[in-house]
Amino acid sequence: MVMKVWWCFSFAFISTVFIGTTVYGGNVTYDGRSLIIDGQHKILFSGSIHYPRSTPQMWPNLIAKAKEGGLDVIQTYVFWNLHEPQQGQYDFRGMRNIVRFIKEIQAQGLYVTLRIGPYIESECTYGGLPLWLHDIPGIVFRSDNEQFKFHMQKFSAKIVNLMKSANLFASQGGPIILSQIENEYGNVEGAFHEKGLSYIRWAAQMAVGLQTGVPWVMCKQDNAPDPVINTCNGMQCGKTFKGPNSPNKPSLWTENWTSFYQVFGEVPYIRSAEDIAYNVALFIAKRGSYVNYYMYHGGTNFDRIASAFVITAYYDEAPLDEYGLVREPKWGHLKELHAAIKSCSNSILHGTQTSFSLGTQQNAYVFKRSSIECAAFLENTEDQSVTIQFQNIPYQLPPNSISILPDCKNVAFNTAKVRIQNARAMKSQLQFNSAETWKVYKEAIPSFGDTSLRANTLLDQISTTKDTSDYLWYTFRLYDNSPNAQSILSAYSHGHVLHAFVNGNLNSGAYLERRVAGLRSLKVQGRDFTNQAWGYQIGLLGEKLQIYTASGSSKVQWESFQSSTKPLTWYKTTFDAPVGNDPVVLNLGSMGKGYTWINGQGIGRYWVSFHTPQGTPSQKWYHIPRSLLKSTGNLLVLLEEETGNPLGITLDTVYITSQ
């Protein structure tokens, strides 16, 4: 008996005041009250939009909707793994064109916060670090380690110099008013002991030494060294933030989570517009001056960008959904909140603050600048409505809400009162239900003799594939001359899914685990085969030949579709783009687990067979940006790892309905 083990996984280890039509930067400083831009204190509302999670053609509309929603700033991470996938080889094209993205923001009159990291987390592969770092001898990530610090400084300087060459820092007249170094390091600092503290001091010094001319921040870093500003991440920074670690630093909130990222097997996390608005109002009432929504537009995890188990739709419940459509009530409710706060920003920024109780669970936060300039935030933390007296006037406060009085008399906004609702719907435009339109290619199952990479032990998947593929074949030979032998295969893996093929036939199902490292041990009838001769093949033949592209598709022999298919089957067809401008999606509800390409562009991983506790897929619609489509003859290719039915796939469009 010759036994071949194939293992695949899908992931690796584990940012109403009109400003004008164009931002002209200048001197950006800060004090204990707020950021100061060109000598003016600012209350700023910001939103995270990540350039590689949308297309350049989508950027103008996303930024315009953010501005219309009352934002002053767009915040983005910098994705090191996308910009330097191979050491010394940089890529700033297409969706990676960060300079073009920032210039578009500038053209629409908004500022930018640039979160360089370089470690960013962001639910992306390897936390945004390029995999080649793993092979640097002696390297210890995110520590006072000379090898890591060398490469971190080199990339940070690369990005800063790129921004400088395009005159994008505010000190050069550009829109970038803040930069971030590291990311939520306070979560792990203790694990590095003294190396953690010395590293964070070095990181701050290194960043300041890059001389951007704008302030630096560190989020979730209570001990951020001067002059770097420590900032808050979370959902309730008005309650949880310990505050700046110096009286000379402002209170900034870099991540106000508008929902939460979703993983396969789970349902979306729904955070209400009322709760978001309440916590923003409370943060401002407690002298906060900068709030960033993470995410304002989440977008799509194209290609293989997503980290372990994270679905393709990223923060779809944000004010702008995955496709860039407005989600109500979040978008409109927050727009009204921003306008109410901006209408009294002078009083908030320059007035004297007092706070006092209005009842057992009611509080007032009052900013008074003069006898006629006054703003108030009236808070009710009870689960029921109450009527309170403020300045001898009765006010009814809904449960768990804050009322904003820009003149200390009239309520302009209450966080619990939403006025607009909408809903999203899908409309089928095309059914791929004709077998004649599909072609099939069955991935070759390699044998031990086919492999050239050999080792007498089980290799780590990440170190072996170098992140060039989600898939790694483990093959070995087992000879058993018993005529009626029945062997039991026992495999221990830290991967998503393991499939075992015996003599070319599938011999197992999927096994779901929580981490990624590869096949760790294997036994047959109790005999341990962990440390014996193994043959390895990185990736699939279809990947190597790029059969998901127009040119690569001709390199293999495609067959007619049959009703009965096997795992590891490629499917291809062509289609015309639907008319109109509505977003386009693939409904993959009939498929199992795999990967999708449109005209050679990876749309992302799908895992429809992994159901929620309610028995439904976590995601079945997959975004195809309009800019990736031609009017006719679009090439759709899917790699199905299990046994999905492509005849059930539909091409849909997305639209908003009133509710």
Side-chain angles (χ1 to χ4, degrees), residues 283-296:
F283 187 73
I284 299 296
K286 292 186 175 181
R287 296 177 60 83
S289 59
Y290 172 102
V291 177
N292 177 74
Y293 300 104
Y294 191 100
M295 300 288 296
Y296 198 78

Side-chain angles (χ1 to χ4, degrees), residues 278 357-364 378-384 386 388 397 400-401:
Y278 174 91
S357 174
L358 296 171
T360 57
Q361 297 184 57
Q362 293 76 40
N363 304 290
L378 307 183
E379 179 189 26
N380 176 26
T381 63
E382 285 194 56
D383 293 331
Q384 60 184 3
V386 297
I388 54 91
L397 303 181
N400 298 304
S401 73

